[in-house]
Amino acid sequence: MNDMRITERAVDLSETKISARNVQVFYGDTHAIKDVSVDIADKTVTAFIGPSGCGKSTFLRCINRMNDTIDTARVTGDILIDGEDIYDRRVDPVQLRAKVGMVFQKPNPFPKSIYDNVAYGPRIHGLARNKVELDEIVERSLRRGAIWDEVKDRLDAPGTGLSGGQQQRLCIARAVATEPEILLMDEPCSALDPIATAQVEELIDELRRNYSVVIVTHSMQQAARVSQKTAFFHLGHLVEYGETGQIFTTPRDPRTESYITGRIG
Amino acid sequence: MSDIAASPPAAGEGRKTSLLRETDRVRKRNAAERRFELYGMAAVGIGLLALAFLLLSILGNGLSSFRQTFVDVPVALDPVAIEEAEASVVKTSRYRDIIEGAFVSALEARGLLEGIDPEEAAGIISEEAPAQFRDYVRANPEAVGRPGEFTFLVNGRIDGFFKGRVTFESAELDGNVTPAQLRLAERLAGAGLIDTRFNWAFFTAPDASGQRPEAAGLGVAILGSAYMMLVVLFLALPIGVAASIYLEEFAPRNRFTDIIEVNISNLAAVPSIVFGILGLAIFINFAGLPQSAPIVGGLVLTLMTLPTIIIATRSALKAVPPSIRDAALGVGASKLQSVFHHVLPLAAPGILTGTILGLAQALGETAPLLLIGMVAFVGEYPDAPPEGLFDPATALPVQVYNWTQKADPAFVERASGAIIVLLAFLVVMNAIAILLRRRFERRW
């Protein structure tokens, strides 16, 4: 499995970006996340793995408070970003989400032009003072999304007309356009073919330079390829969290071992 | 289901069946399928037949109302006679004398007056003609003193004669027309003085009294309906869309919103006459708005259309995939921004379609309007909006109802004509709705 890696395992002692303490999530009566505490480092790709329904996506959605949009969801415990509790009464989720970008499982570009897709975030946050600045932001974001060369001649074309992989990279470009510090990715490659997946994975590694990236994935190979840290979730518990190499070679918990060897999940 | 329950012959049992022959079971199944297809075709056929019958009877009765018979009369505009007429108490009766005199002398000059006395001959001109003539004279004072060629409406019975509604036999029994008049009309038509042409006045003229169906038109009814549609559009659309957005995107799901939801659906099922009573009680008796006014009709129809628009808008909003909302929220848009920047534009075609269908429904609604006094005879046009909204007017479907109540068969023809106009409006509105849906249909 090691030879599939595209990242060097340089897990230096970068500082903690997100710190979760005793997080519990309930959907109505369902206890979806049970007492999860985890420290996620800056400028690192952290992968959440685990079987379906284990709560990894739920936990991811806590980090930018997307669970707020679900009426029955209730979150307790603390999640700190740079030492600030994001569930504090004073925190506006809209401001938080500008700081914590998100890429979804299914590519979901707005049914608008490619340009408008990327420019939307900067526009509503007032990041550009004029058209020239906005153009710059759009170009920079599309470059970061590794899709600039493919779309630079047709920025007015609808974003929904792109291929699946291009759409997903467009969504990544859209997410980085608001200058977030953290990028959450909820199974970003599950709707993509292997070639598009490889492109997105390469991109994720690039993004590590600037952002703290948290990625939920069903594919253990993907976690092994792109991440430096891996967290294994099972039935709402965070079973094991550590360096990716260690998780995949010498897991400490028997459940982790069963999962990565394919006996559960 | 029962097919599955039957156990298949065990493999290798040796019961050979040919694929070329239908088994009993298959034969039965195929027969059932064919039978069902026949039932379906019969059902569709009955529907189409009913539609064809409806269209045929309405078009057959009503198309003739788009044409009207006119008679050409040369009238010398004698200043003295006109001055006398204007000085008299019943002015139109003097004008009538002028017209009749001119008509009779024109007939005499052409030798068409044999076998009929002059007064009887003059009876073929419509009662409406003196008023038309006087209006012309007052509008064109410079024409006085010069001879002119005028085109007057003919009496409804004579018009009916040219449309096949009145015959010599029916004229024998009719107190309003004599066979001699019909013969005169025939001779006039032969001489080219009477002819039937397209009837613009049917769309522009106000309603006319029972004595002169030939002059009755839909002008006031069309205006009244248009005013009411304006009121409905400007009230029901914003209220309905605002309510739907709140219920669909912002309101929490709880018992209270459930009750609201159920009641909106119930509201859509309330018989329209109940809305009429409501309108009478609230808008006229309580709020003191005038009777027969398009504003009241519009308000009542707004109440009726609201549930339709809310239901359509909610389903249009529901049809926008949640991934779009996620995407907007994910880049830090507020709830309001995500709705107004992304969800609403995507739902707009559905909302418009629902609105147009709601308007079409409101346009054809009669019962509530009867209760708020729009069934009255209105001979004058309402003013331009917004003041005109408070003037008396009628509405298209009510005009149909009104005309079908009249004894004169000429009004039945008009009623059918009004139905054609109403149907044309409805077809156009539905066509616009379908076009919008086709044009902006989106796939994700």
Side-chain angles (χ1 to χ4, degrees):
Chain A
M1 206 169 276
N2 281 340
D3 50 0
M4 290 161 83
R5 287 180 202 161
I6 55 174
T7 66
E8 77 282 22
R9 295 266 176 252
V11 186
D12 48 10
L13 295 164
S14 50
E15 57 195 88
T16 299
K17 187 72 181 173
I18 308 163
S19 170
R21 288 287 166 271
N22 309 106
V23 174
Q24 320 264 358
V25 180
F26 303 87
Y27 289 126
D29 294 331
T30 319
H31 198 173
I33 294 285
K34 294 160 187 159
D35 206 29
V36 169
S37 299
V38 64
D39 284 326
I40 292 167
D42 201 8
K43 312 233 187 293
T44 307
V45 177
T46 306
F48 290 175
I49 60 169
S52 293
C54 67
K56 52 195 192 303
S57 285
T58 298
F59 184 69
L60 189 78
R61 291 168 72 94
C62 289
I63 300 174
N64 70 346
R65 290 183 60 174
M66 283 296 270
N67 282 334
D68 288 16
T69 58
I70 300 164
D71 284 337
T72 54
R74 195 159 52 82
V75 181
T76 64
D78 301 320
I79 296 178
L80 310 176
I81 292 180
D82 293 333
E84 290 174 341
D85 182 6
I86 61 168
Y87 280 90
D88 191 288
R89 210 181 289 276
R90 286 165 296 180
V91 171
D92 185 59
V94 169
Q95 237 173 317
L96 171 73
R97 286 180 204 137
K99 194 170 169 170
V100 185
M102 185 150 189
V103 177
F104 297 86
Q105 184 170 0
K106 216 177 124 223
N108 56 352
F110 299 127
K112 300 182 176 204
S113 73
I114 293 169
Y115 183 95
D116 285 335
N117 259 286
V118 181
Y120 181 67
R123 268 196 198 123
I124 59 172
H125 295 297
L127 298 182
R129 265 165 308 185
N130 51 46
K131 180 85 171 97
V132 181
E133 280 188 21
L134 192 61
D135 288 348
E136 277 170 20
I137 292 177
V138 169
E139 181 176 345
R140 191 169 64 233
S141 306
L142 286 171
R143 281 186 193 283
R144 281 198 190 156
I147 192 182
W148 171 253
D149 290 329
E150 291 158 61
V151 301
K152 64 183 172 196
D153 301 324
R154 44 169 176 157
L155 291 177
D156 291 330
T160 40
L162 298 171
S163 73
Q166 288 174 325
Q167 286 191 14
Q168 194 61 299
R169 279 178 285 147
L170 175 63
C171 290
I172 294 173
R174 181 178 66 191
V176 300
T178 55
E179 299 290 334
E181 294 164 27
I182 299 165
L183 257 188
L184 306 179
M185 299 187 162
D186 191 356
E187 298 180 37
C189 300
S190 64
L192 305 184
D193 66 31
I195 293 176
T197 300
Q199 286 168 328
V200 171
E201 282 178 5
E202 233 171 279
L203 172 61
I204 291 170
D205 195 49
E206 286 288 314
L207 294 170
R208 183 162 67 91
R209 288 176 214 279
N210 300 303
Y211 310 100
S212 170
V213 180
V214 185
I215 175 171
V216 164
T217 176
H218 263 302
S219 153
M220 285 176 280
Q221 288 87 342
Q222 185 173 58
R225 285 194 298 264
V226 302
S227 71
Q228 287 80 51
K229 296 268 223 168
T230 297
F232 172 63
F233 284 79
H234 189 235
L235 301 176
H237 294 285
L238 175 60
V239 174
E240 191 165 351
Y241 175 53
E243 280 181 34
T244 301
Q246 175 256 312
I247 295 274
F248 281 101
T249 51
T250 54
R252 294 195 188 97
D253 194 287
R255 284 172 293 178
T256 315
E257 193 186 351
S258 306
Y259 182 68
I260 61 174
T261 52
R263 264 177 286 157
I264 59 168
Chain B
M1 279 292 136
S2 54
D3 305 341
I4 296 164
S7 61
E13 203 178 273
R15 220 180 67 189
K16 289 212 168 166
T17 55
S18 164
L19 281 175
L20 301 175
R21 247 187 59 235
E22 283 182 329
T23 61
D24 282 351
R25 177 178 289 280
V26 170
R27 197 175 303 122
K28 262 188 204 161
R29 212 155 57 189
N30 289 347
E33 236 159 72
R34 274 192 297 274
R35 252 191 334 268
F36 184 76
E37 205 173 317
L38 273 179
Y39 295 152
M41 273 153 62
V44 172
I46 290 172
L48 284 180
L49 216 65
L51 180 68
F53 188 70
L54 173 86
L55 285 181
L56 220 65
S57 90
I58 289 174
L59 291 180
N61 279 327
L63 274 183
S64 54
S65 63
F66 297 122
R67 302 180 66 74
Q68 194 69 36
T69 311
F70 295 88
V71 56
D72 296 326
V73 184
V75 184
L77 293 163
D78 177 15
V80 181
I82 286 169
E83 209 167 294
E84 262 177 29
E86 283 296 321
S88 68
V89 182
V90 188
K91 301 181 176 70
T92 44
S93 110
R94 291 303 189 87
Y95 278 104
R96 178 162 190 87
D97 295 344
I98 299 176
I99 295 170
E100 287 184 352
F103 182 56
V104 168
S105 49
L107 291 181
E108 259 176 347
R110 287 172 172 260
L112 292 167
L113 205 55
E114 58 194 70
I116 187 166
D117 74 75
E119 199 165 316
E120 200 180 346
I124 73 168
I125 297 179
S126 164
E127 306 269 339
E128 185 72 11
Q132 276 183 317
F133 183 54
R134 179 169 182 248
D135 286 344
Y136 174 81
V137 171
R138 286 163 66 90
N140 305 283
E142 77 283 349
V144 174
R146 275 180 266 162
E149 186 76 22
F150 287 86
T151 301
F152 295 120
L153 284 165
V154 301
N155 185 314
R157 297 296 153 98
I158 304 297
D159 178 51
F161 173 62
F162 287 103
K163 290 171 179 171
R165 195 170 60 231
V166 177
T167 60
F168 288 106
E169 291 80 54
S170 73
E172 294 279 3
L173 309 167
D174 195 334
N176 293 315
V177 68
T178 63
Q181 284 178 322
L182 296 185
R183 274 191 291 275
L184 173 64
E186 246 180 354
R187 287 200 299 273
L188 282 170
L193 290 176
I194 280 186
D195 65 340
T196 306
R197 56 187 85 143
F198 191 74
N199 182 17
W200 276 113
F202 184 59
F203 302 101
T204 56
D207 194 8
S209 70
Q211 294 309 305
R212 28 190 174 176
E214 64 275 9
L218 285 170
V220 174
I222 290 176
L223 265 185
S225 277
Y227 284 8
M228 288 196 296
M229 291 306 107
L230 273 184
V231 174
V232 174
L233 188 64
F234 279 96
L235 288 178
L237 184 60
I239 296 176
V241 171
S244 322
I245 290 178
Y246 176 72
L247 286 174
E248 199 57 45
E249 304 285 337
F250 292 94
R253 294 267 179 279
N254 56 29
R255 191 176 295 260
F256 184 64
T257 47
D258 281 350
I259 290 175
I260 291 180
E261 204 159 309
V262 169
N263 279 305
I264 287 173
S265 309
N266 283 341
L267 216 54
V270 169
S272 55
I273 195 138
V274 176
F275 283 104
I277 295 174
L278 182 81
L280 180 65
I282 295 181
F283 300 125
I284 294 180
N285 290 344
F286 178 72
L289 288 169
Q291 287 187 20
S292 309
I295 181 81
V296 181
L299 286 169
V300 171
L301 294 180
T302 297
L303 292 182
M304 268 195 54
T305 314
L306 259 180
T308 312
I309 292 185
I310 290 179
I311 290 169
T313 305
R314 291 192 65 177
S315 62
L317 290 173
K318 264 197 199 104
V320 176
S323 68
I324 296 291
R325 295 177 183 84
D326 280 350
L329 295 178
V331 295
S334 68
K335 189 98 190 167
L336 197 71
Q337 285 171 326
S338 91
V339 169
F340 279 90
H341 294 168
H342 300 288
V343 179
L344 203 53
L346 292 176
I351 296 174
L352 282 184
T353 307
T355 306
I356 293 173
L357 293 181
L359 282 182
Q361 189 192 339
L363 182 67
E365 201 51 71
T366 323
L369 302 182
L370 299 181
L371 285 177
I372 57 164
M374 292 202 86
V375 72
F377 172 81
V378 181
E380 282 186 15
Y381 299 104
D383 288 341
E387 294 83 14
L389 296 179
F390 296 87
D391 291 344
T394 53
L396 273 173
V398 179
Q399 194 67 69
V400 172
Y401 171 79
N402 248 349
W403 281 345
T404 48
Q405 302 295 302
K406 301 263 175 84
D408 192 331
F411 275 112
V412 177
E413 172 206 86
R414 304 248 146 192
S416 295
I419 291 172
I420 294 173
V421 173
L422 183 60
L423 285 181
F425 276 119
L426 294 180
V427 167
V428 167
M429 288 169 89
N430 287 345
I432 291 173
I434 290 169
L435 278 180
L436 273 176
R437 196 156 46 197
R438 288 269 168 80
R439 174 81 181 71
F440 293 103
E441 205 169 44
R442 265 176 204 281
R443 281 174 247 279
W444 281 276

